Amino acid sequence: MIPTKKISLTLIEYAEPLMNELGDGYSQSDLERVLKLATTVWNACILDQWHSTTKHVQALRQQFSNTEDLMPAVIVETLIMRKQQHFGNDPRAITNECVIVKNGEFVVRAEARLDVKNTMAGSERIN
C-alpha cells in the first residue's frame, strides 16, 4: 500500500535526526544540504528495493567510507538503518526536494515517484 502522508512530511520525519544536529539558527542552505543527503540515502535504498539489488546502498557506503573522517559514513549508515526500520514499507522515491522561504519560515517541498513496473500508479505524481 502506498502511504498517504505527503512525501515532503515523510522526508522531514526521516531527516529529523540530522536536522536536530543543525541546532538553532540554521540557514536555508544548511537545511537543503541535510535534505539532499537524506534524499540520496533514501533513494539508494528505494532503487535497491525496486531492482532487488544492494548495489546502490553499497556504492554509497563505499563512497563515504573512503574519507578520513568517519562521521559521514556513520551518518549514512544510520540513515540506511532508519529507512529500513522506520520507513521500510514506503516504496516512493523522492525527487525535486527543495526548501523555500514563505512568510519568514522554511517550507520543504518534494515530489514522490513510484516504480512503473511494480505499481499501478505508474509515473503519477504523489505529493
Side-chain angles (χ1 to χ4, degrees):
M1 186 166 133
I2 300 168
T4 57
K5 182 188 289 186
K6 294 176 92 176
I7 196 67
S8 57
L9 294 176
T10 300
L11 175 58
I12 290 168
E13 185 179 337
Y14 175 64
E16 184 176 19
L18 293 179
M19 292 168 57
N20 289 340
E21 291 299 316
L22 291 174
D24 294 333
Y26 56 84
S27 69
Q28 181 179 358
S29 63
D30 291 337
L31 182 55
E32 287 171 339
R33 279 193 299 273
V34 163
L35 294 176
K36 179 60 77 179
L37 175 59
T39 299
T40 299
V41 176
W42 176 284
N43 285 341
C45 294
I46 288 298
L47 287 171
D48 282 350
Q49 180 183 340
W50 286 358
H51 301 290
S52 300
T53 184
T54 60
K55 71 180 184 179
H56 299 94
V57 167
Q58 291 304 327
L60 269 182
R61 285 179 170 140
Q62 180 67 32
Q63 179 181 356
F64 285 94
S65 69
N66 286 337
T67 63
E68 290 183 22
D69 184 4
L70 293 178
M71 190 52 66
V74 170
I75 292 169
V76 167
E77 199 59 41
T78 300
L79 286 171
I80 292 167
M81 291 187 322
R82 185 165 171 76
K83 171 64 173 105
Q84 294 167 346
Q85 293 173 355
H86 300 285
F87 303 91
N89 292 329
D90 194 329
R92 302 172 294 174
I94 301 171
T95 63
N96 298 321
E97 72 284 346
C98 67
V99 178
I100 64 167
V101 179
K102 187 173 184 178
N103 298 326
E105 295 184 352
F106 295 139
V107 176
V108 175
R109 291 188 176 167
E111 295 178 7
R113 295 287 182 258
L114 294 172
D115 183 15
V116 176
K117 66 181 177 183
N118 290 322
T119 66
M120 297 298 289
S123 61
E124 174 183 341
R125 287 172 64 163
I126 300 173
N127 292 316

